Amino acid sequence: MLAETIFSAVSVAGLGIAAITAYRKKYLSATRIAAWALVPLGLVMTGAVEWAFDTVFSPVAWAGFGVLGAAWLLLMTTRGVERRRGGRKAAGVGAGPAAVAPGVSAPARDALARPARPAARPAAQGGDAEDFSDIEAILKKHGI
């Protein structure tokens, strides 16, 4: 109740300052001051001030914030553990076949389900040694 009284008094004082500013023929500034002065009154009338003060001084509200913080902490912990394990598939969740489009043909579906194989390295040829000798010559020229 004290907060509502203070906010209402601030609004009345602001409207008084706006009236004095309008009397001095500064109508744009007076309108702006009046608009800002009406904000605390609007907050009191909507009940936002009462709700805020009830929340700040309520132990149940602070316990609720604690529960929300604990929930957030648990979610972030499980997310970190999941990342270290390599995702949900490594944890056993969703170990079924990968999702594919409904109109995909059977060979394409099989190709999507199989893991990709690394490309085979070509056998070393005699031309590679020549390339290295050129590099060695360049390094020796620069004193490396």
Side-chain angles (χ1 to χ4, degrees):
M1 179 143 176
L2 179 64
E4 287 89 356
T5 305
I6 293 171
F7 273 52
S8 299
V10 167
S11 285
V12 170
L15 290 173
I17 293 170
I20 293 169
T21 307
Y23 180 74
R24 293 181 182 166
K25 309 271 188 218
K26 297 180 181 178
Y27 299 112
L28 187 62
S29 295
T31 305
R32 202 171 292 134
I33 292 169
W36 280 108
L38 290 173
V39 170
L41 185 64
L43 289 172
V44 167
M45 293 175 75
T46 59
V49 174
E50 183 180 350
W51 173 81
F53 276 90
D54 287 345
T55 302
V56 168
F57 295 115
S58 171
V60 174
W62 285 106
F65 286 126
V67 168
L68 288 173
W72 178 82
L73 185 66
L74 289 172
L75 286 171
M76 292 301 114
T77 303
T78 56
R79 189 174 180 188
V81 168
E82 186 176 84
R83 282 184 180 175
R84 285 188 179 204
R85 287 187 181 173
R88 289 180 183 223
K89 289 192 181 203
V93 177
V100 293
V104 175
S105 65
R109 193 176 316 122
D110 292 340
L112 287 173
R114 274 185 265 128
R117 294 183 189 166
R121 294 183 63 187
Q125 298 173 352
D128 290 340
E130 184 179 303
D131 292 337
F132 288 121
S133 64
D134 291 343
I135 294 172
E136 282 182 24
I138 293 171
L139 291 174
K140 285 181 183 177
K141 179 181 175 184
H142 291 285
I144 298 176

